[in-house]
Amino acid sequence: MNMRLRTGFVLREICGEKVLSAEGKDVIDFSKLVRLNDTSAYLWEALEGKDFDAEMMCGLLCDRYEVAPERALEDSRKLIQQFVDLHLVEQQ
């Protein structure tokens, strides 16, 4: 299943932390910041404006880090679920 990152979120660095902040009328009720680690921030930037799935995320992880494909795929699925739970993605 293809996903797309929701628009209206901006990745910023605040006090040395990478966070997503909501901007615009589509996310006006979003009242918190979402902190991302370096890896999830890398993925967020790499996936902005693109349709993606867990396999694409896995490929990005394997290209950048020394990680087994099985582990990268498992981690990708977990991160996608976290993004879904936080309403940060839309299903295409």
Side-chain angles (χ1 to χ4, degrees):
M1 159 184 7
N2 281 340
M3 312 291 281
R4 183 175 281 259
L5 300 174
R6 281 187 56 203
T7 58
F9 292 94
V10 177
L11 181 61
R12 302 181 185 283
E13 187 163 328
I14 300 174
C15 298
E17 299 284 336
K18 291 181 173 58
V19 296
L20 291 174
S21 62
E23 292 187 349
K25 64 181 181 178
D26 292 338
V27 289
I28 200 156
D29 292 333
F30 193 81
S31 61
K32 63 181 176 179
L33 298 176
V34 177
R35 189 178 70 170
L36 301 178
N37 66 22
D38 288 339
T39 302
S40 56
Y42 158 71
L43 289 170
W44 183 273
E45 289 176 323
L47 297 171
E48 276 186 305
K50 300 176 184 168
D51 291 344
F52 67 92
D53 58 16
E55 287 76 17
M56 182 177 176
M57 287 178 80
C58 174
L60 289 167
L61 290 172
C62 288
D63 289 345
R64 184 165 175 123
Y65 303 101
E66 291 184 28
V67 60
E70 300 80 20
R71 175 67 188 263
L73 185 58
E74 180 183 335
D75 290 348
S76 296
R77 289 179 177 146
K78 287 179 183 178
L79 182 59
I80 287 174
Q81 187 58 55
Q82 290 172 346
F83 283 175
V84 167
D85 293 345
L86 293 169
H87 307 286
L88 299 175
V89 294
E90 301 170 339
Q91 296 179 6
Q92 298 294 311

